Every structure is written in structure tokens, then in C-alpha cells.
Amino acid sequence: MAILLSVSVAMLAALLMTRVFKPLKLPSVTAYLIAGVLIGPYCLGRLGIEGLGFSSMEAVTALSLVADVSLGFIAFSIGNEFRLDALKSTGRQALIIGVVQALFAALLVDAVLIGIHVLMPEKLSVAQAITLGAIATATAPAATLMVVRQYKARGPLTDLLLPIVALDDAVGLVVFAVSFGIARTLISGTVDLISVLLTPLVEIVFSLLLGAVLGWLLTQMERMFNSNTNRLNLTIAFVFLTVALSMMEFHIGDLHVKFSSLLVCMMLGTVFCNTCPLSHDLMEKSDRWTSPLLALFFVVSGAELELSVFNERYIVVIGVIYIIVRSLGKYFGALMSAKWAHCAPQICKYLGITLLPQAGVALGMCMTAKQLGEEGELIRNIILFAVLVYELVGPMMTKAALTAAGDIKPMPEAVRNRRENKLQISELFHPSEHRHHWHRFYLKHVNQKHGEQSHTEQNQSK
């Protein structure tokens, strides 16, 4: 009962918050996140009233499965952007930009934080600096995808953005694994080449292989059904299955083998969209089905943000430096690589801004960084602070960049007028000082329409 109550409260809070933020014209993602913060353990949850919010972090963690499933559907949708016919025109550019901007951001953060270590060695170690630099590569695909969907963004920048976000996380996994291996070596004094070089390579290869096999199997099983409803149900079931299988871990000798849920689900979507003729329609229906799931995901993400990180000043200072330097690295890395790839001017100018959001993948890296002990706790707190800022500001900046690039079009006048007319008609059913005026308008409209129909019937009878 408690879990169902938490889910319903989270969903209602998300929907109500979108109404509050509607006059500000902010993305729904931002409203969902703020709703999560408000009903989280540091705000309404402090009252300890069951059903009013999440009273503890354990109550939030109980819904962690929502995050896993949601990220699986997000990665599955991003896999749809790797259609071979589309990659012929954007594949080379996406590859260059995805690799260069991620590495540039990591190196820039490394350099600046190592400089802070030289000035304040007691506050930040080299191991912490290079681990934070590796985490800087990651971009949040969820926030980016939600903004693209909400505003129906279409254009050259959007076509290039989603594949870059997917490649960005793949590059980030490799950079993080190597950097984290070096960090552990600096702390322990022992060199482990398996964890530094072999483990990230095995994780990526095994994840892509598992996703490819499941994608092929999904395509074969789709042929067994003629009903679109059954095909959609099968597609959703396969995403759940893929998320579950990607949680497996096992050992081959001294090698620890695990999977990246994002890469597995992304490969599932990539193979499926390139082998199944009905994939485009099924993926669109799947996206509509997952809308409430993603809203719940962002509310839970907002509730997970720990406001206690503001208690330590030096964490806030290092966090602000990390945010500024990573943002500069992403922006100028994307700018330089986009120019090298001969992209259009609006892509060069605005692409870097859309790569700023950071959340799920970075938080997953933080969980791994806990293995560093006390030094890992500092990394976690800095990233939590950065995620809080990025998740609240990032979607707004992504929307602004896509609008400036022309990928988000203003609402057509005809659509705006139609919505206003619907609003006016709806006011007929609510008391107001103009109720009688609208009532007369409504009766006049109905009588006029009835008269036209009667006239038409008389002419037909003649």
C-alpha cells in the first residue's frame, strides 16, 4: 500500500507542478524534478505524514526499479536514432563530436581540479580529481529526450543530438573505467591492468552483443503476431526483459563481467529499428505508453537529490568549479569538433548547450566511486550538488538552444486559436462574471448551426 500511495502522490505532484510552471514556459522535466524535491525527504517528507511525501530516503529507494526501467525505455528510444539510412548523413559527424567533446570535457576538468589539488591538497586528491574528470563526460539522455519529445523538436541539431548523447555515454564508460582504475592504483599502490584496460572493453562488447541478440530475437517474435496491440505488448515486455538481463554479473577467472543497461537497451533498439519493418510505428506507440513512467522517474530523481550537500562550503565551492569547467569543456569541445566535422553554423553554436544535463549515468558512476572509501564519499557529494544544478537548469538551456537553432518551432496561429476557442467553450461550465455572456454565445452558436442544418434538410427534400 505504501508504495502505491507514493507512486500516486508522485504522479499527482508532477502533474500539478506542470500547471504551476506553465506561465513560466519551463520544460515539464524541470517541473517534475522540483515536484520531487518538494515531496522529498528534505521538504514535505520531514513532516512524517504518510502519503504527503517521501518521509525517508529509504522510501525513495523503494522506487529505484522505476529508474532502471525508465532508463531502459529511454535508451531503447535513443537506439531508434541509429537507423542506417539516417547514419549515412550524420554518422561520421556524430562519431567525431561524441568522442571529442567527451574527452575534451574530461581533460579540462582533470587539469583544473588537479590545479586545485596543488593549492589545497588536504581538500582534494589527485585520485578524486581524475575520477571527477571522468564523470564529467556523461550526459543525461533522459532530460534531453524529454525536452525533444515535449516540444516536438525536429531539425539538423536534433537529428545529431540524440546519437551524440548515446555515444557520449559509451565513451564515458570507457574513460571512467580507465580513470577509476588509475585512481584505485594511486590509493592502494598496486597496479591492476585488468580493471584499468580489460574490464571496460569487456563491459562494452558484452553489452552490445547481448543487446544485438535480443534485438534480433524481438524482430523474429514480432512476426508471430498480426495485432498491433500484441506487437506493442511484446515490445514493452522485451524492454523489461532486457533491463532485467543487463543486471547480471558474473566472473570469468579474475575478470568481473557486468553489463551497461543503457548500452544493452540502446543496442536492442538499434537492431530492432533496422531489422523490423514495423519498428517505427511500434516505437512511437511505445514512447506514448511510457510518458507517465518517465514523469514518475523524474519525480523520484528529484526526491533523491540530497540537499544536505549544501552543509559543507568547500563541497559547494568545488562543485561550482566542476559545473563551470565541465560546461566550458562540453561547449567548446562540441564547438571545435562540430567545426572539424563541417556542421552547419547553428549546430556549432548551440550543440554544446544541449549536452549539459547530467544525472543517471553520472550517479551510477558515483556508486562505483564509493569503492574508494572516504575519498569516494566526497566525489559523490560533489556530483550530487552538480546534478541538482544541472537537472534544474539543463532542460531549460536545452529548450532555449533548440529554439534558437530553429528545431523547436513556435505554435502555429491556427493551433493557438483552436486551443483558445476550446478554453472559451470550457468556461461555459464554470461560474464566472462572464458566464451569461458565454452562455448566450453558446446558444447563438448552437441555434445558428441547427438552422443551417434545417435549411440543408429542406433543400434536400425538395
Side-chain angles (χ1 to χ4, degrees), residues 82-115:
F82 287 92
R83 292 182 179 270
L84 294 179
D85 53 349
L87 289 179
K88 290 178 182 178
S89 58
T90 62
R92 175 180 166 274
Q93 293 175 334
L95 180 62
I96 293 173
I97 299 171
V99 174
V100 172
Q101 57 82 25
L103 294 178
F104 187 80
L107 292 174
L108 188 61
V109 172
D110 280 344
V112 173
L113 294 185
I114 289 174

Side-chain angles (χ1 to χ4, degrees), residues 256-298:
H256 180 212
V257 179
K258 59 181 181 177
F259 300 89
S260 167
S261 177
L262 280 175
L263 289 182
V264 177
C265 293
M266 184 187 71
M267 196 63 181
L268 171 75
T270 300
V271 172
F272 178 61
C273 76
N274 285 289
T275 57
C276 180
L278 301 174
S279 62
H280 187 78
D281 183 51
L282 289 172
M283 281 189 157
E284 282 190 351
K285 292 180 178 179
S286 173
D287 291 343
R288 290 195 291 270
W289 180 87
T290 57
S291 177
L293 182 66
L294 296 183
L296 180 60
F297 164 69
F298 282 106

Side-chain angles (χ1 to χ4, degrees), residues 116-137:
I116 292 177
H117 162 73
V118 173
L119 297 175
M120 298 185 300
E122 72 284 355
K123 296 295 185 183
L124 189 70
S125 68
V126 175
Q128 291 169 326
I130 62 175
T131 303
L132 287 168
I135 297 176
T137 59

